[in-house]
Amino acid sequence: MTVKLTLPAQSKMLSQDFIYGVATASFQIEGGENNRLPCIWDTFCDTAGKVADGSNGLIACDHYNLWQQDIELIESLGVDAYRLSISWPRVITESGELNQQGVDFYLDILNELQRRNIKAFVTLYHWDLPQHLEDEGGWLNRATAYKFRDYADLISKAFGDRVYSYATLNEPFCSAFLGYEAGIHAPGIVGKEFGKKAAHHLLLAHGLAMQVLEKNSPNSKNGIVLNFTPCYPESDSEADIKASDFADDYFNQWYIKPLFDGEYPEIMSQLPAEHHPEVLEGDMEIITHAIDFLGVNFYTRSIYRANSDEHFFQIDAPEPRTDIGWEIYPKAFTELLVSLNEKYSLPAIYITENGAAMADKLVDGAVNDIGRIDYYQNHLNAVNDAIEQGVQVNGYFAWSLMDNFEWAEGYLKRFGIVHVDYDTQVRTIKASGLAYNDLITNR
Ligand code: IFM
């Protein structure tokens, strides 16, 4: 167990050019629901039994009102960058125009970040689809991809040169699979025939948005953020390896291969035709639009065994696990980065999320989250190992700046390096936040 975060003296991650940041997402922290349109997560939260503690995002961390003190907090952590997402339903009206009040909220934040010399990494879509678009079919409707392009166009013009980096989407796997196939995220649609269709429209939306970002914001680094949960076989048996490879294609490669190779994984031929996305001529050309960076989110791995009914069966995560039940297995992080680098012709990578949910206790005004520090130490080492093996990683963002609304888990799981008391909205930097600050400021 460590209480400080360290890296080898010659590590590239100790150079001043390596960007360290903290990340959040609009719905998870903002609140301020009176000033925006409803989104699919509002509806999901209002549906009984969907969110573990029955909570919602109406207040969350009240960042809508407390953003100034939150930016001071970010600066006090010594980070180079802040990754935030824009709430689409806050900045675009139902008729598709800019909502100036919502735009001004973000302009104030971006101006303040610029004044404090903190780079803004802006994600355009972190899951809060306007509800009126879901009512028209959401990501199952191809038209949503074009609505996203229009939103990206308007907002990137409004933001001017204030943004260091744009990510079109955060984790399209979660939007598509969890939202439209497993149904455990908003909008809660269940059915194997939906996931890949939603995924295709999300990737199309990404490509269309890249076109307008390139035009409106040629100087920012524009790309996408994907999450990866590397798949491992339970044994060396051919059958388990096959099962794990299938799962990898289904959950991971499905979202990256089209970006770089212009095609979906070959397992498509093994999926029933009614599960296939409708790929129109020219779609893959749009989707393969060059990106300046790939954002990689990593938390854990999964283990699979062969199964006679399905293509794979996921076994329970072994120990050690974080408070959300995810195995702590940093080696998979290095192996993931190295393998992506071998498989694809990648641009620079930013680790746009990495972190751990822990059952934190606030005792005498402090959170001694030693387990989280240990998680960060091992995962920073894992990134460093990948860099040493030739992977170009230019930055690392801790998930998350502060405890927040953890989707289907509500407020029960804490990922922050800053503790939030949801009754008083008091923020307390945890030991992990202090250790992160120490690592960054002593580079
Ligand atoms: O909280 C989420 C975040 O919104 C997206 N990536 C994973 C995090 C932890 O579950």
Side-chain angles (χ1 to χ4, degrees):
M1 293 275 187
T2 45
V3 285
K4 258 175 114 76
L5 292 170
T6 58
L7 284 161
Q10 72 291 358
S11 170
K12 291 210 172 110
M13 294 172 76
L14 290 178
S15 101
Q16 290 293 334
D17 297 341
F18 191 86
I19 293 176
Y20 283 98
V22 283
T24 64
S26 45
F27 191 85
Q28 293 181 273
I29 65 164
E30 284 178 2
E33 92 290 358
N34 291 329
N35 302 301
R36 61 163 173 78
L37 296 174
C39 75
I40 54 174
W41 272 93
D42 295 313
T43 313
F44 195 72
C45 291
D46 285 348
T47 313
K50 295 294 184 191
V51 174
D53 58 358
S55 64
N56 56 45
L58 299 189
I59 297 177
C61 304
D62 201 18
H63 177 71
Y64 187 75
N65 294 305
L66 301 178
W67 65 270
Q68 275 154 311
Q69 74 166 62
D70 286 339
I71 294 183
E72 273 168 37
L73 177 68
I74 292 167
E75 187 178 35
S76 79
L77 291 169
V79 293
D80 309 300
Y82 173 44
R83 175 173 178 244
L84 69 154
S85 80
I86 307 302
S87 164
W88 183 353
R90 195 183 289 295
V91 296
I92 301 288
T93 65
E94 208 161 327
S95 52
E97 283 125 37
L98 280 180
N99 170 351
Q100 199 53 47
Q101 191 190 3
V103 175
D104 287 345
F105 169 65
Y106 293 111
L107 283 177
D108 286 347
I109 290 178
L110 294 175
N111 288 338
E112 195 56 29
L113 290 172
Q114 210 165 42
R115 202 174 71 74
R116 292 172 192 258
N117 211 12
I118 299 168
K119 295 180 171 61
F121 277 64
V122 166
T123 300
L124 292 176
Y125 185 70
H126 198 127
W127 310 353
D128 36 5
L129 184 72
Q131 180 61 43
H132 68 95
L133 295 182
E134 180 56 37
D135 296 341
E136 290 162 20
W139 289 112
L140 295 174
N141 180 357
R142 187 177 168 92
T144 301
Y146 291 86
K147 295 268 168 67
F148 181 72
R149 179 200 55 192
D150 297 345
Y151 149 54
D153 185 33
L154 290 175
I155 201 70
S156 55
K157 280 181 184 145
F159 287 170
D161 62 1
R162 295 171 178 86
V163 174
Y164 181 84
S165 159
Y166 279 106
T168 53
L169 307 177
N170 179 69
E171 303 183 350
F173 157 81
C174 294
S175 303
F177 179 77
L178 301 182
Y180 290 87
E181 186 167 331
I184 56 175
H185 275 191
I189 290 174
V190 182
K192 287 196 169 149
E193 66 275 38
F194 302 124
K196 302 302 189 209
K197 293 185 174 70
H200 183 66
H201 294 147
L202 281 151
L203 292 172
L204 183 65
H206 154 76
L208 291 167
M210 283 302 300
Q211 295 175 347
V212 301
L213 290 174
E214 185 178 77
K215 210 156 43 114
N216 299 346
S217 193
N219 298 325
S220 54
K221 295 182 192 309
N222 305 324
I224 186 171
V225 171
L226 301 180
N227 62 307
F228 296 90
T229 304
C231 302
Y232 286 74
E234 187 185 24
S235 77
D236 287 343
S237 77
E238 210 179 296
D240 283 353
I241 292 173
K242 206 169 145 212
S244 150
D245 285 349
F246 192 99
D248 184 49
D249 279 349
Y250 200 84
F251 296 124
N252 297 314
Q253 309 304 325
W254 199 273
Y255 300 86
I256 184 169
K257 192 170 168 63
L259 299 178
F260 294 105
D261 295 350
E263 59 186 19
Y264 287 109
E266 171 282 311
I267 58 157
M268 177 121 98
S269 62
Q270 297 173 57
L271 302 178
E274 60 275 20
H275 297 184
H276 290 191
E278 195 189 355
V279 181
L280 300 189
E281 209 186 319
D283 282 4
M284 283 303 177
E285 246 174 272
I286 297 171
I287 291 172
T288 49
H289 192 290
I291 52 178
D292 301 324
F293 79 96
L294 174 70
V296 171
N297 293 355
F298 174 89
Y299 291 89
T300 188
R301 69 160 174 171
S302 317
I303 305 175
Y304 295 90
R305 75 165 61 120
N307 179 267
S308 49
D309 303 329
E310 296 282 343
H311 291 285
F312 49 77
F313 174 81
Q314 186 183 345
I315 67 160
D316 289 343
E319 304 269 9
R321 295 189 289 252
T322 61
D323 192 42
I324 202 165
W326 299 347
E327 186 191 4
I328 302 172
Y329 192 75
K331 192 162 167 262
F333 202 0
T334 310
E335 290 176 349
L336 166 73
L337 293 168
V338 170
S339 78
L340 292 178
N341 200 39
E342 279 166 8
K343 277 199 182 94
Y344 303 105
S345 181
L346 295 179
I349 288 177
Y350 289 99
I351 305 305
T352 32
E353 285 181 30
N354 178 230
M358 294 286 166
D360 297 320
K361 295 268 169 308
L362 183 67
V363 180
D364 298 332
V367 179
N368 198 14
D369 55 338
I370 300 296
R372 183 176 288 108
I373 297 177
D374 204 48
Y375 180 97
Y376 275 119
Q377 180 63 69
N378 291 326
H379 288 76
L380 287 164
N381 288 344
V383 176
N384 190 53
D385 288 348
I387 294 174
E388 282 178 0
Q389 291 178 56
V391 185
Q392 195 197 334
V393 182
N394 287 0
Y396 176 96
F397 290 74
W399 183 269
S400 175
L401 163 65
M402 57 185 161
D403 298 334
N404 57 49
F405 176 77
E406 177 50 30
W407 308 112
E409 302 288 343
Y411 296 96
L412 299 176
K413 302 297 170 195
R414 293 180 177 270
F415 272 93
I417 58 172
V418 173
H419 179 272
V420 175
D421 178 326
Y422 295 114
D423 294 328
T424 60
Q425 292 295 347
V426 168
R427 279 76 159 129
T428 306
I429 302 180
K430 300 177 191 178
S432 57
L434 299 173
Y436 197 48
N437 169 254
D438 178 75
L439 170 77
I440 298 166
T441 48
N442 288 315
R443 271 176 291 172

